[in-house]
Structure formats: structure tokens, C-alpha cells
């Protein structure tokens, strides 16, 4: 039981978590990750951000990632929402919320999904700073993060 | 024919969103990359061997060895930065 | 920067996460864990629950756990709220919300705090089922969970 | 004198919330446990060696070897089940 949404309008992570909880009254534990747009990146003030994506493939990629998490851990429900288009500082970029009967599985499922989303889902960030526009570079630490999921058997 | 799609920095710097290409000589994504590199300029710079390039065939992540067929949609893009 | 609260009234986890975000506009990632009261436990329908605690020691224990998390990882902010007294099914029992510049640290800090809370903070659950009252037993899996934090150096 | 406090199932089954005890002969928590076990009944059953017992001295988690001093507050309780 999962919901995936790519949204060009601002969304409320709290509302999404409420919807997740509402899906199943037996839910006992929810782990959620919220990524927010900061107004400062690499020392420069960021005025706004544009999030480009690959319509169709993005949804497919997110669905594959979520399905893999459901195969690997016993999850009750999951909700992934990712913003696209024009964003202002402090707006939510992404929510990953996972419910499970066991908190360890909820933590692992949630972290797995955001780790793979960061390296496998076709989104690209472009920032507008006081010095103009720039594409955000991918980070090596994100590639390292997914390696743990093939290395450890947990 | 195949359809080539470009995203983000690739799309901007190459000034191309998508284009149709004859697929007769293209067995795999690597062949397409080599063909595009021969165009020189920004093409050879952005798609150089030492550049990090991500690729998808029919909206699934692919690699240089992924085979190509007529009607396929191939996308080339820089490493993703969502989340 | 952290807030710890033991609350005899129902609380809203969403509101707590908003307060956490509001503490620092530089916050880029929030990981949160919410534990909810279920209406079923070990096959029996649970009508209500009483959460007993050790006033004074509880707050001290939570503060020590949170401080240890701040020493171990680079965290920006943390908020822990734990309910006591009489609870009804679906009400939140506990919230642990952690903000960090790096998501891996936010995940680890949040999981560390809830793992230690489960085994070191003096709370006790008593359920009222159709067959009467019963004290909830501690689970071995909770003891195992904290062992990972001394075993792995991460 | 020391103050003994009991919580949860211990408090209920022993019917005692807290009590004052002479501390002259008690060097550590283990001595207190042995003293209480001698009371028999629910005391010896709940505090038996094979039972899981948690203990705190002055509101900090303690163990049987933790020393005791006059004025200390000692709490005994079953494993915690919060969260």
C-alpha cells in the first residue's frame, strides 16, 4: 500500500503523514524524512530553485524504489511526494513517510527510499543565487549512501 | 528511428530538447554516444569518456551496453540531484 | 538545541515538527519517528492504556539520551515528546524529531534516541483489554536494538 | 535513612509506593535487594535473582554494585516499556 506523487504545487508534509496514518488504524510506528529548501547553499544565498524532472520516468523510478523497499522489509504503508517546478526557500522538496509494525524496518525502509531517490530518480535542481543561475552538482556522499544497501545484508 | 531526449544541463548547453535519429547503425547506447561525440563542440565535451553521464532507455536506467531498437526512447542526462 | 517534554495531555506530532523546523531556518532535513497507540496488541483488543512514569528521573534520562546523540552526530535540533497518563487507541505515544544538515546523521540520531528511550527511560505501559488489565512486557528486540550502537562505530 | 521507591508492577504487587529504611547496614544496592528478599512473599518472588529488575539511585540508572549513602533515593522497577 503506497502512494507516489510528483507535485508542481507546494505540499504539506504533515497532511501527507496524516493521510498515511489514516490508511490503516493498525499503524503503530511512522518514520518520515522531509527535505526542505534552504536559503543558503555552498556559502551563497539562494533566492529560488527550479526542479526539473523526466515526466513518466520519474514516477516509474520512484515506484521501483518503493517496491524494492516493500520486498526487503515488512512495511505497512508508504507515501512519497516530490516537488517539481519553481520553489522558494523553506518549502518542502520531498517527503518519504513509512509505516511498519517494527520501528527498525520503518527506519530502514525510509532511509533506503530516500537514498535511492537521491541517486536514481530523474530530478535536477537549478538554483538562482545573487550571482545568477547554477545547476546543483551531485554529491559523492549520495553514491556512497546506496552502497551500504548492497554491502550489508540487513 | 530512435528518439533522443536530453535533460537539465545537457539540454541547456546543447540547446536540444529532443531529436530523431536513424538507428540502423546503433546496436547499443555506446554506439549512440560515439556518434554524438563526433559532432564535436559541446557534444564531445559534455559526453566525453571522463564525464559522469546517466542514461535511460524507454524510461528505465540503462548503461552503455544496453541494446537499442527502432522506436526506443533514449535519454542522456547528468547525475540526478533530487530529494 | 533540544526540547524534551513529558505530557499528560494529547499532543500533535505535526505541530511539534513545525516547532522544530521553526527553530532554525537553515534546517534542510528532518527525520521523525512517531509511535502510536494501537487498538490491538498480542491478539487482544486494547480499549485504553495507562502510561506510568518516574517524574524527574524520566526527564533526566531523556535529556542524557538526547545529549549523547548530540555528542555523537552533528545535529541541528531535536524535539522529544512523550505522553503519560491515560491514552486511547490511535493517540500518539511518542515523537522523536531530529534535524541535521546531513540526512544520514538525522536518521541515526533519531533511531538512537528512540532505541535508548525504549530501554532506558522509566515509562511503563499498562493496557486495559476486554479481559482486564495487564502490564506490557519488555521486548528482547529492544535490548538487541541498543547493542548495535555500541558494536558499530558509525 | 534511605528512601525506597517502587514503580509499575512492583508497586502494584507489593502494595507499596515508597518507604523509608535504615541504611546503616547497606553498602550497595545488592545489600538492599537481599534485605528485601528476606521479607518473603511477593518480595522474594518479584526480586528473585532470575527476575529482570531495573534500579536507579538518585534518579540515575544503577546496578547492584552501586554504593548507597544516607539520604539516597533508590528505585526498583521492572524493565521499562515506553516509546
Amino acid at each position: 500500500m503506497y502512494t507516489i506523487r510528483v507535485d508542481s504545487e507546494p505540499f504539506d508534509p504533515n497532511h501527507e503523514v496524516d493521510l498515511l496514518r489514516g490508511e490503516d488504524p493498525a499503524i503503530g510506528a511512522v518514520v518520515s524524512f522531509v527535505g526542505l529548501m534552504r536559503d543558503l547553499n555552498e556559502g551563497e544565498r539562494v533566492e529560488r530553485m527550479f526542479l526539473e524532472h523526466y515526466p513518466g520516468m520519474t514516477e516509474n523510478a520512484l515506484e521501483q524504489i518503493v517496491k524494492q523497499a516493500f520486498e526487503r522489509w515488512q512495511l505497512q504503508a508508504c507515501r512519497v511526494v516530490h516537488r517539481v517546478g519553481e520553489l522558494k526557500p523553506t518549502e518542502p522538496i520531498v517527503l518519504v513517510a513509512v509505516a511498519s509494525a517494527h520501528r527498525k524496518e520503518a527506519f530502514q525502509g525510509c532511509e533506503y527510499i530516500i537514498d535511492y531517490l537521491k541517486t536514481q530518480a530523474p530530478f535536477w535542481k537549478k538554483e538562482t543565487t545573487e550571482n545568477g543561475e547554477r545547476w546543483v552538482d551531485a554529491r559523492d556522499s549520495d553514491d556512497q549512501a546506496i552502497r551500504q544497501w548492497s554491502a550489508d545484508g540487513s | 528511428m530512435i528518439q533522443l531526449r536530453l535533460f537539465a544541463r545537457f539540454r541547456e548547453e546543447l540547446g536540444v530538447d529532443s531529436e530523431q535519429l536513424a538507428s540502423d547503425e546503433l546496436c547499443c547506447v555506446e554506439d549512440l554516444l560515439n556518434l554524438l561525440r563526433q559532432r564535436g563542440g559541446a557534444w564531445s565535451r559534455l559526453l566525453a569518456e571522463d564525464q559522469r553521464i546517466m542514461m535511460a532507455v524507454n524510461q528505465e536506467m540503462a548503461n552503455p551496453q544496453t541494446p537499442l531498437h527502432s522506436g526506443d526512447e533514449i535519454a542522456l542526462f547528468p547525475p540526478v540531484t533530487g530529494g
Side-chain angles (χ1 to χ4, degrees), chain A, chain B:
Chain A
M1 185 160 42
Y2 58 83
T3 303
I4 289 161
R5 197 170 83 241
V6 175
D7 203 329
S8 59
E9 297 294 321
F11 70 95
D12 175 6
N14 289 341
H15 179 62
E16 301 296 332
V17 173
D18 286 344
L19 290 172
L20 178 86
R21 281 177 54 185
E23 282 178 23
D24 186 351
I27 284 173
V30 176
V31 172
S32 57
F33 172 86
V34 177
L36 302 154
M37 187 187 157
R38 283 177 293 177
D39 60 355
L40 202 70
N41 192 20
E42 293 177 16
E44 277 193 274
R45 192 138 306 271
V46 182
E47 291 161 13
R48 58 182 189 278
M49 189 166 78
F50 186 82
L51 251 158
E52 180 171 335
H53 77 302
Y54 184 171
M57 178 171 172
T58 306
E59 292 82 353
N60 292 344
L62 293 176
E63 186 165 2
Q64 278 182 29
I65 294 166
V66 170
K67 277 186 176 167
Q68 279 156 11
F70 269 82
E71 279 170 25
R72 192 152 171 175
W73 296 283
Q74 287 206 306
L75 309 181
Q76 293 173 307
C78 172
R79 214 165 168 93
V80 177
V81 183
H82 202 294
R83 184 74 187 283
V84 291
E86 197 88 38
L87 275 86
K88 291 191 291 290
T90 79
E91 287 185 344
I93 299 168
V94 62
L95 163 88
V96 178
V98 172
S100 171
H102 309 283
R103 72 177 181 286
K104 176 119 199 110
E105 305 211 43
F107 272 105
Q108 292 201 312
C110 185
E111 193 173 5
Y112 177 94
I113 291 168
I114 185 65
D115 281 354
Y116 274 88
L117 183 155
K118 289 248 178 193
T119 54
Q120 300 292 313
F123 294 103
W124 301 272
K125 288 180 182 138
K126 189 184 198 177
E127 296 174 337
T128 302
T129 73
E130 51 208 351
N131 300 318
E133 295 186 334
R134 64 177 179 196
W135 290 98
V136 171
D137 282 327
R139 286 184 307 190
D140 289 339
S141 62
D142 287 328
D143 289 321
Q144 286 156 18
I146 65 162
R147 263 174 236 138
Q148 71 163 310
W149 298 111
S150 38
D152 78 6
S154 67
Chain B
M1 300 290 278
I2 57 165
Q3 187 179 23
L4 171 65
R5 299 187 63 177
L6 301 163
F7 288 92
R9 192 162 50 79
F10 287 7
R11 178 180 47 72
E12 269 195 3
E13 296 192 23
L14 296 168
V16 175
D17 177 77
S18 82
E19 69 173 284
Q20 300 276 329
L21 284 155
S23 58
D24 311 346
E25 316 260 305
L26 306 176
C27 294
C28 63
V29 180
E30 181 88 73
D31 295 339
L32 173 65
L33 288 170
N34 286 331
L35 182 76
L36 297 172
R37 284 170 186 141
Q38 288 167 22
R39 293 176 173 182
W43 291 94
S44 56
R45 177 171 53 79
L46 288 171
L47 303 181
E49 303 259 5
D50 63 350
Q51 292 297 301
R52 290 191 57 198
I53 304 164
M54 291 184 84
M55 53 208 83
V57 174
N58 298 327
Q59 308 198 351
E60 297 255 356
M61 287 297 181
N63 60 57
Q65 281 68 53
T66 303
L68 292 185
H69 305 95
S70 183
D72 282 350
E73 172 178 307
I74 296 96
L76 300 176
F77 40 83
V80 300
T81 56

